[in-house]
Amino acid sequence: MYNPFQPVEKIKAEVFMSMPAKFRKKSRTGWSDPNRQGAEVECFLEGPSFDREGNLWFVDIPFGRIFRITPKGDWELVTQYDGWPNGLKFHKDGRAFITDYKAGLLSLDPKTGKIETVLGSMYSENFKGLNDLHFASNGDLYFTDQGQTGIADPSGRVFRLSADGKLDRLVLNVPSPNGITLNTQEKHVFVAATRSQQIWRLPLMADGSVSKTGVAIQLSGGAAGPDGIEMDSENGLLVCHLGVGIWRFDSNMLPTHLVYSENPHHHHLANLCFGGDGKDLYITESMSGDILKARMPVTGKKMFGLS
């Protein structure tokens, strides 16, 4: 019989690169005052994603910056604008789509740096504050609307923008919806509910509706709950657990691995993506400006933007 309490294998993450000093500017912003309790910040990195050319992209929320690291290791500031970008994923057509806490759903032309609004509101009402996103293989875009929701205000939402432009509200009662992904069969949507320390599973019906939503994983401990999540090719779910590290759960949602950093200041491993040959995991440590790297036992699932 399978033992659900087998020892968890630990994987140490190493620093891949650190933000150069020329991009660091410690100050307070309109985002950091409510979200970092008035503390000055140098950066807050999120949304890592690779393009077809092997560039690693990510966002800097409080300063509205979009960066990429080239295959040669050069840091490039692609654009800076009046917004709070949080998640970034690539479309098959080469555009980067951005969930922006202030401005809604945006697209970015990687060649020109031009940003355009895809959805600034929904049903004539503003979003609470978009967080993360994920493309299905047919081009449908799933994204989370987190805002300041939590246990006392479980009104966070999950949306789907279909490839033909139809907007569906799938869930409207999540306490802080954050990271989002789909399993390899695209039969289930997984959402990180940060403030309830949970991963929710949203089964997708044949007509695209959601039924029998449940808790796939119940976490505990850490500085906060789950943040970014992603699926590997064996339907293992990787979960950034703030203050702990990155868990890998198998297809039965039982823990198999824990990615960790020995640096005591690395307590905000917020988001992740697969790169290289598919087994290299790249992780944004939001507060320090470090990008970490770990070698995983299973390749990541194929992303829409790289297909």
Side-chain angles (χ1 to χ4, degrees):
M1 187 176 79
Y2 179 75
N3 177 11
F5 302 106
Q6 65 178 349
V8 171
E9 184 177 342
K10 294 182 179 180
I11 300 174
K12 186 170 72 171
E14 304 287 354
V15 173
F16 168 64
M17 294 199 76
S18 295
M19 175 179 278
K22 66 179 180 179
F23 293 127
R24 296 177 182 266
K25 48 179 184 179
K26 195 169 187 178
S27 60
R28 292 170 59 179
T29 74
W31 178 88
S32 63
D33 277 355
N35 290 284
R36 303 307 304 166
Q37 297 177 309
E40 290 186 330
V41 295
E42 290 185 337
C43 61
F44 198 93
L45 304 186
E46 266 270 17
S49 187
F50 276 95
D51 65 16
R52 287 196 183 97
E53 285 71 47
N55 298 296
L56 175 58
W57 294 67
F58 48 93
V59 306
D60 179 21
I61 302 175
F63 300 106
R65 299 187 291 185
I66 311 294
F67 287 97
R68 68 184 164 208
I69 301 176
T70 70
K72 294 182 179 179
D74 298 323
W75 284 61
E76 297 178 348
L77 176 59
V78 178
T79 190
Q80 184 169 12
Y81 68 102
D82 181 20
W84 297 330
N86 205 116
L88 185 151
K89 290 288 191 301
F90 279 94
H91 191 279
K92 187 180 290 187
D93 64 13
R95 288 180 297 165
F97 277 64
I98 299 163
T99 39
D100 187 288
Y101 191 98
K102 180 192 290 188
L105 183 63
L106 311 175
S107 68
L108 167 69
D109 184 333
K111 295 181 180 179
T112 66
K114 183 181 179 181
I115 288 181
E116 295 183 345
T117 299
V118 178
L119 277 178
S121 61
M122 52 88 201
Y123 313 132
S124 77
E125 294 182 348
N126 291 332
F127 292 111
K128 293 174 179 289
L130 299 191
N131 186 285
D132 213 346
L133 68 167
H134 190 86
F135 279 106
S137 60
N138 65 353
D140 288 353
L141 180 62
Y142 294 78
F143 61 95
T144 53
D145 187 21
Q146 180 186 44
Q148 296 292 305
T149 63
I151 289 291
D153 176 21
S155 59
R157 299 171 292 198
V158 177
F159 290 91
R160 176 180 59 221
L161 180 64
S162 65
D164 62 8
K166 180 186 176 185
L167 182 65
D168 293 307
R169 184 170 51 202
L170 302 181
V171 186
L172 46 72
N173 66 326
V174 191
S176 194
N178 200 319
I180 186 167
T181 191
L182 281 78
N183 69 342
T184 58
Q185 295 85 5
E186 301 191 336
K187 298 292 186 182
H188 296 96
V189 181
F190 290 88
V191 177
T194 303
R195 306 305 163 197
S196 62
Q197 289 270 10
Q198 294 171 330
I199 303 296
W200 288 21
R201 181 193 288 114
L202 284 57
L204 292 172
M205 301 295 102
D207 63 358
S209 63
V210 169
S211 180
K212 294 185 179 179
T213 296
V215 174
I217 300 168
Q218 180 67 63
L219 298 167
S220 63
D227 198 323
I229 62 175
E230 193 49 88
M231 193 72 63
D232 66 28
S233 59
E234 294 181 0
N235 280 322
L237 185 66
L238 284 82
V239 178
C240 294
H241 191 183
L242 302 178
V244 178
I246 297 168
W247 297 102
R248 180 190 181 268
F249 297 88
D250 65 17
S251 58
N252 288 320
M253 299 296 114
L254 295 172
T256 62
H257 297 78
L258 176 64
V259 179
Y260 71 98
S261 170
E262 290 185 338
N263 188 329
H265 300 294
H266 286 168
H267 52 75
H268 216 99
L269 306 183
N271 216 326
L272 72 170
C273 68
F274 284 94
D277 64 356
K279 288 188 176 182
D280 290 333
L281 190 67
Y282 292 82
I283 308 150
T284 51
E285 208 296 319
S286 298
M287 298 291 292
S288 68
D290 291 340
I291 308 292
L292 308 185
K293 182 179 178 181
R295 185 71 174 170
M296 301 304 295
V298 181
T299 59
K301 77 166 192 173
K302 191 73 172 180
M303 301 297 285
F304 178 69
L306 299 177
S307 60

